[in-house]
Each structure stands twice: as structure tokens, then as C-alpha cells.
Amino acid sequence: MCGIVAYIGEKQAFDIVIKGLKRLEYRGYDSAGVALLNGDMRVYKKKGKVANLEEEAAGQDVSGGMGMGHTRWATHGEPNDKNSHPHLSESGDLAIIHNGIIENYATLKAGMMLKGHTFHSDTDTEVLAHLIEDVMVNTGLPLADAVRSALKQVSGAYAIVILSKNHPEHLIAARKGSPLVVGLGKDRGEFFFASDATPIVEYTNKVIYLKDGEVAIVENKELIVKSIENVVQVPYVQELELSLEQLEKGGYPHFMLKEIYEQPRSIFDSFRGRFDSDTGQIHMRSMEDYAERLKEIKRLILIGCGTSWHAGLVAEYLFEDLARVPVEVEYASEFRYRNPVLYADDLVIAISQSGETADSLAAMDLAKRKGASVFGVCNVVGSSIPRLSDAGAYTHAGPEIGVASTKAFTAQVTVLALMAVGMAKLRGTMNMVAIKSFFEELEAIPEKIEKALLLNDQMIALAEKYKDAKNFLYLGRGYNFPVALEGALKLKEISYIHAEGYPAAEMKHGPIALIDEEMPVVVIATNSEHYEKVVSNIQEVKARKGKVIAVVSEGNRDLDNMVDHVIEVPETIEPLSPLVNTVPLQLLSYHIAVMRGCNVDQPRNLAKSVTVE
């Protein structure tokens, strides 16, 4: 959720940390701060964005080759200067930054207050700084050992970095339930730490993804990784497949617009090399290695949050339609608390852009403990969900910086469609002619999305007309009911207009009461077996004077005199129609938000990666 950057080496730490925080600002932008160590400990922090922190530090001493920074998404304590990270220990010797939640912080805080500790913030993080110092004072343990000892008393999730004025040769980091990556610099003794690889890619392509319960200790220019039980670990050094160019806007005004336009490429990259349309062969390791298992599963459970949950809803139609396997789609946050009934012949697929979603990870852990097989569909190599999965697939969408997910959604649907066809082939529910035909149509999707992107000017005109609407309703049936949900989510999360998505037939069971001449209703009415019924739903809206924006298949003139606006998209087969139909809805939301003066890349109260409950 929050963003962490730290550096130790010969370069100026402040410059690296500030640049890194700007790259991580999508993870949280309630406040930002830095701690620099160069003889003295200097801490600068400020409510608001990283730019506010830069202003605060202007003219101050920011020298030194050791420092760390944090951009916050508030959990404990409102966004303000005092609750900004870093936080100091009682003596001021230790500084800490933290991503996560310390669940037993109130108990720990009460105990230390009885010992005379004074706290200056409302955060759970400050408690951890005091706890570590308290362990050092009372046990005489060296800093690294005191950190490990203190963490054994902590319940919850954390990724932390610690500096000590009295131990200037040390930089210590640890993780449990929140991501932390260590970059290995080109010079001896140079190390980078960050919540993900985006802040460090321009300095190194060699990284270590810390595992849960690991502590990384830099001392006298050497790195050692230990378990919390003090067992030395042999970390796996991984090479990043990430370029600096992918992290820049590339001439677009916002990352979100850039990522919408990247979808032809991201979809292609997500299916490239994974099938052969001439032979109908599928080349996915999860399909090959678990072929016998996939033939036998009795039930598929898809878990996700937000947009990933919507991708799971599309996949429900795909797997049931093509592979004829029963499917349940669950909010990860509810699944873990419902005492779900799971069997050894169930397959759970966790869907996540970041691979670090806390609720999804907890749901996966629960499923594994109950004996189910667990797969992951994820975009970030080396993240926690792939490591916890038995198997799965990466989406290859490339980094998604905009908080509102766009290309990640279509990449997830693409990969899930391939998995559905793969399972259908294994289970004998699709013949080779149908499989080849499906693959041929999937190969055509990137070009069809290129055509859908040509609707941009039409979406600008629609946005101008409806940017001041108070409410929107999105309707769809079958495969495109989840697209209605996703369209509504995109609009509300970046423009702050209230919007709801519904199955079109459910409109009569409540939402129709909201419809009047002020209510824009977006109806997905592309060619499908439900088309005539969707037209009937449109007539019901028009009878109540609603404003109808209809998404139709290219060349459809049936609705020209029935609706207020027609958006024509390239036609494709119904199982793949969500990939095309979602594009104009993304563009409409984007342009409405821009016209309303909203920060589309960093909408209020949201963060890209939800690594806390």
C-alpha cells in the first residue's frame, strides 16, 4: 500500500530516494518523508504528495550516501505531518519506515507507555521503532538481533527499513506479508531497497525479492539475509525484465491513457507463444504440468479484488461455457472469513495485478491448508502470489502505473481465456475445429482493439456532454455483465461520479426507479444470443426518459433511432467481446475525469497495490 525506497552507497541518497518515491506514488500519496544519515539523522516529512516533501526539504542539508523515504496510504492516524513516515524511537537514534499494519500495536504501545515512552503520532509504525530500541536497551542485543527479537513480538504485516544514528554502517530491512525488493548495485556496498522494482530499475537489474520472515542486513558494505530465527539464507538473485521506458509516460498526459493505448500490445504479449492456431496446440506450463489434475477437478473457485474480481466474473462464463466445470467467483476479502467448504479436488485461481494483494494471499493460504490446488494469474514477476501458487501464468501486461486498472484487466481476461480453452481441451469439451477458430479470433483481437481506440474523439464528445452527471447506470448481459461492472468502477474511482453496473434484466428489480431524463445509461448491446433481450431493456429505459449510450457491433443500425448515442465497436465472438467492449468505457471514464479536473493516475483515497486488510 505505502511506498518504500532506501539506498546505501556512494551516490547521494536523497536524489535516488525522491526519484524513487515519485515512481512509487501510485502506492500512496497522503504524505511523504525521508530520513538521511550523514553523521546526524535528518528527517523531513510533509502531508501531501512527494512534491510537497521536496518543497519542505528545499534549502535543507540533504547530503549523504545513506537514506530512506516513504510515501503513505493512511491506515492508523489521519494524513498529516506528524503521522508521516519516517518515525523515530524514544531517543531519536532509530528511524523507521513501514508498509503494513501492526495488529497488536495498541497492546505494545500501552506496555511501553508504562515504561515512560512518549509517542508523537497516532500510527502503529512509531510503536515498532520504540519497541526495537526498548529491546536493545533491555537486552544489550546488537541492532540486527534486536530487530529480529522485536519482530517476534509483532502480529500483523510489515515491510520495514531501519536506520540508526549510532550504527551508521547498518541498514536493516525485513518483510512479512508486504513486499520488499533488494537491488544489488554495481559498486561494492551499494544496495537499493524498495516496495517494488520500479524505483531501482535505472540503477540495477539484479534484485532479491525478500521472502516472508526474512531480514536483510547491510553491514560494512556486505549484505546478509537471515530468517527471523537467525538462520542465514541463500537468496535467489533475479534479473529484472523491466525497462525504464516502460515507467515513463511516453508523451501521454497520464499513465492511464498510455496504458489504455498499450492494450493491443499487452494482450498480444499475454498470448504470444502460448498457442498455435494452425494446430490448436496450447503451450502453457500450468496446462502441461498439471494436465491430469485439471482433468479431474470438480470445481473451480476464482478469487480477486476490484477489477481482478471482474476479470474472474468474465472467466466464470469462459470456464463454464467452454470447459463445462462449475465455477464460483469470490471476493478474496470475504472468502477468507466465511469458513468456506473446500475439497482436495477443487482448484482455486487467485487473480491479481500486483501479486501482493493481502486478502488474496490470505485466501490462497487458506485454500492450500484445506488441501485445494492453488494457481495464480499475476502481472508482476517475483511477487508473492506466484511464489505461493502451485502453478499459474503471468499476464505480461508490463508495469501498470495508473491506479485505475485498464490493461491489466484485459490481459487477465486474455490469460484466463487461454486457461479455459486449455482446460476444455483436456476435458474434451471443445473439439479441435472450435479450438482453432477460437485462437484465430483471439489473434485478431489486438487489431480490433486498435480500431476501438479510434473511438477516442467520440468519447471526448460524450464526456463533454455527461461530465456533470450525478449518476450513471451500466447494463450488460452474459459475458458483458462483468464489463458493465468494470465500466461503472472505472467511472466512479477516477471521476467520483456515482455509478453502478447491473445485469440488464435486474434493472426491473430496483434500479429502474432511479431512471429519469437526467440519468445516463450505458448499455452493452453487441451481437450475442442475448441481443434481443438487451434491446427490450433499452426500450424500458427510454420509456422512462433515460439517456441511453449503446455499445453495439460495428454496422448495427437497428438502434440509431432508439437510443441517444451509438458507439460501434469491432465485432468478435461473444466469449472475447469483453476485451473489445471495455475499451470505449475506459476512454469515456478517462475523459470525464480529466474534464472534471480529477487526478486520474492518483484518485483520492486509492492506492495501486492493497497490501493491507
Side-chain angles (χ1 to χ4, degrees):
M1 213 60 162
C2 305
I4 285 173
V5 184
Y7 173 77
I8 182 169
E10 299 300 321
K11 300 181 177 68
Q12 288 297 304
F14 180 79
D15 298 335
I16 293 169
V17 168
I18 287 292
K19 186 183 288 187
L21 290 181
K22 289 178 178 177
R23 293 241 174 89
L24 286 179
E25 203 163 17
Y26 65 86
R27 296 181 69 96
Y29 30 89
D30 293 335
S31 60
V34 296
L36 303 165
L37 192 56
N38 188 13
D40 291 329
M41 181 88 72
R42 284 154 287 128
V43 174
Y44 308 108
K45 52 187 185 176
K46 196 70 178 172
K47 176 184 176 182
K49 298 193 174 182
V50 177
N52 301 77
L53 172 62
E54 282 189 289
E55 291 178 12
E56 178 73 8
Q60 305 286 344
D61 181 7
V62 294
S63 61
M66 191 171 181
M68 63 186 187
H70 185 271
T71 181
R72 182 174 185 241
W73 188 86
T75 55
H76 295 72
E78 67 180 70
N80 56 31
D81 291 354
K82 74 173 183 177
N83 289 330
S84 305
H85 297 214
H87 290 288
L88 299 177
S89 62
E90 178 76 11
S91 69
D93 170 51
L94 297 181
I96 189 171
I97 54 178
H98 167 224
N99 175 21
I101 291 178
I102 306 302
E103 294 173 354
N104 62 335
Y105 87 100
T107 302
L108 295 171
K109 184 175 183 177
M112 282 181 284
M113 289 177 72
L114 289 174
K115 295 180 179 181
H117 287 249
T118 302
F119 293 88
H120 304 283
S121 77
D122 305 314
T123 69
D124 53 337
T125 301
E126 187 183 7
V127 176
L128 191 49
H130 283 245
L131 177 63
I132 293 168
E133 184 171 81
D134 188 69
V135 170
M136 290 180 69
V137 169
N138 287 289
T139 66
L141 288 171
L143 176 60
D145 292 337
V147 170
R148 291 187 300 96
S149 178
L151 292 177
K152 290 179 184 179
Q153 302 178 46
V154 166
S155 298
Y158 54 80
I160 59 171
V161 180
I162 299 162
L163 297 180
S164 170
K165 183 169 59 177
N166 292 332
H167 300 80
E169 75 285 1
H170 280 74
L171 186 150
I172 298 175
R175 74 153 285 181
K176 178 187 175 185
S178 289
L180 201 60
V181 58
V182 184
L184 310 181
K186 295 173 182 169
D187 301 323
R188 180 176 177 269
E190 183 178 56
F191 299 97
F192 305 82
F193 295 77
S195 297
D196 63 44
T198 55
I200 63 180
V201 66
E202 66 183 282
Y203 307 107
T204 180
N205 69 338
K206 292 185 176 5
V207 299
I208 296 167
Y209 290 94
L210 289 184
K211 299 176 183 177
D212 269 3
E214 288 187 336
V215 181
I217 305 157
V218 177
E219 182 178 5
N220 297 323
K221 298 191 174 184
E222 298 293 338
L223 172 72
I224 185 169
V225 177
K226 293 185 175 182
S227 72
I228 201 168
E229 302 296 338
N230 203 30
V231 178
V232 175
Q233 307 295 296
V234 180
Y236 172 69
V237 179
Q238 184 167 316
E239 288 200 14
L240 291 173
E241 297 179 3
L242 184 65
S243 69
L244 188 59
E245 291 75 18
Q246 291 177 295
L247 306 177
E248 305 296 338
K249 291 179 183 175
Y252 289 90
H254 298 96
F255 281 109
M256 182 180 178
L257 187 62
K258 173 177 179 271
E259 288 155 7
I260 290 171
Y261 273 84
E262 286 177 338
Q263 287 176 110
R265 168 56 61 179
S266 61
I267 289 172
F268 175 76
D269 287 345
S270 293
F271 70 61
R272 179 178 55 183
R274 285 177 159 165
F275 66 86
D276 186 332
S277 59
D278 293 328
T279 65
Q281 295 303 307
I282 298 173
H283 309 294
M284 296 182 73
R285 188 168 180 180
S286 56
M287 296 286 108
E288 296 163 356
D289 292 353
Y290 284 80
E292 294 305 314
R293 181 83 178 87
L294 294 174
K295 289 178 186 177
E296 301 301 324
I297 68 160
K298 298 295 191 294
R299 183 177 58 157
L300 178 60
I301 301 170
L302 302 168
I303 59 173
C305 302
T307 288
S308 295
W309 184 72
H310 294 161
L313 289 175
V314 176
E316 179 180 22
Y317 288 91
L318 286 162
F319 280 99
E320 289 194 342
D321 187 10
L322 305 180
R324 307 306 299 151
V325 59
V327 180
E328 296 176 14
V329 185
E330 302 273 1
Y331 285 111
S333 55
E334 290 298 311
F335 180 78
R336 61 184 294 199
Y337 291 116
R338 210 187 61 240
N339 191 21
V341 178
L342 286 164
Y343 302 101
D345 52 10
D346 287 338
L347 172 63
V348 176
I349 300 181
I351 309 164
S352 170
Q353 189 283 136
S354 68
E356 300 292 351
T357 310
D359 287 319
S360 296
L361 285 164
M364 292 172 70
D365 182 65
L366 172 64
K368 293 191 82 167
R369 284 189 279 110
K370 287 180 175 285
S373 297
V374 176
F375 281 18
V377 172
C378 177
N379 191 41
V380 181
V381 176
S383 56
S384 296
I385 282 178
R387 292 206 301 267
L388 188 58
S389 302
D390 298 317
Y394 286 111
T395 55
H396 301 302
E400 188 178 65
I401 306 301
V403 167
S405 187
T406 52
K407 66 176 181 175
F409 172 72
T410 50
Q412 286 168 347
V413 171
T414 299
V415 168
L416 289 163
L418 286 174
M419 294 176 76
V421 175
M423 190 176 293
K425 183 178 180 182
L426 288 170
R427 296 165 75 93
T429 55
M430 281 181 82
N431 61 39
M432 194 55 69
V433 172
I435 291 172
K436 289 179 181 180
S437 177
F438 189 97
F439 286 159
E440 287 170 1
E441 190 56 34
L442 183 55
E443 285 179 322
I445 288 293
E447 184 177 350
K448 292 183 177 184
I449 290 183
E450 292 278 10
K451 288 188 70 175
L453 290 167
L454 297 177
L455 294 164
N456 187 57
D457 287 347
Q458 185 181 355
M459 295 305 100
I460 291 173
L462 278 177
E464 184 64 44
K465 186 172 182 64
Y466 292 108
K467 63 181 172 61
D468 296 319
K470 303 297 184 198
N471 301 281
F472 263 75
L473 188 62
Y474 288 72
L475 302 176
R477 279 180 181 256
Y479 280 95
N480 285 293
F481 159 51
V483 175
L485 292 174
E486 177 62 13
L489 176 61
K490 287 285 102 45
L491 185 68
K492 64 181 129 184
E493 68 183 340
I494 63 171
S495 74
Y496 318 138
I497 294 173
H498 174 252
E500 295 296 334
Y502 271 87
E506 285 297 304
M507 176 184 61
K508 296 189 289 294
H509 298 276
I512 198 167
L514 299 172
I515 294 173
D516 59 20
E517 59 272 15
E518 301 298 321
M519 170 71 87
V521 182
V522 179
V523 184
I524 303 156
T526 48
N527 293 341
S528 72
E529 61 180 286
H530 310 293
Y531 175 73
E532 296 299 333
K533 293 190 179 297
V534 174
V535 171
S536 295
N537 298 133
I538 290 173
Q539 290 171 329
E540 291 164 351
V541 174
K542 291 308 297 178
R544 283 129 183 112
K545 302 186 187 319
K547 302 293 185 184
V548 176
I549 302 166
V551 180
V552 305
S553 297
E554 197 169 32
N556 184 348
R557 303 264 72 88
D558 296 348
L559 305 183
D560 287 2
N561 298 321
M562 187 185 304
V563 304
D564 299 273
H565 310 279
V566 173
I567 302 168
E568 294 186 48
V569 296
E571 185 171 5
T572 185
I573 59 175
E574 190 175 2
L576 296 177
S577 62
L579 295 171
V580 178
N581 295 346
T582 195
V583 172
L585 306 188
Q586 294 170 346
L587 289 169
L588 179 63
S589 299
Y590 168 80
H591 290 298
I592 287 176
V594 170
M595 290 176 188
R596 289 168 65 89
C598 302
N599 187 337
V600 296
D601 284 340
Q602 298 173 354
R604 69 188 182 202
N605 303 331
L606 295 177
K608 184 67 177 172
S609 178
V610 184
T611 58
V612 296
E613 281 192 66

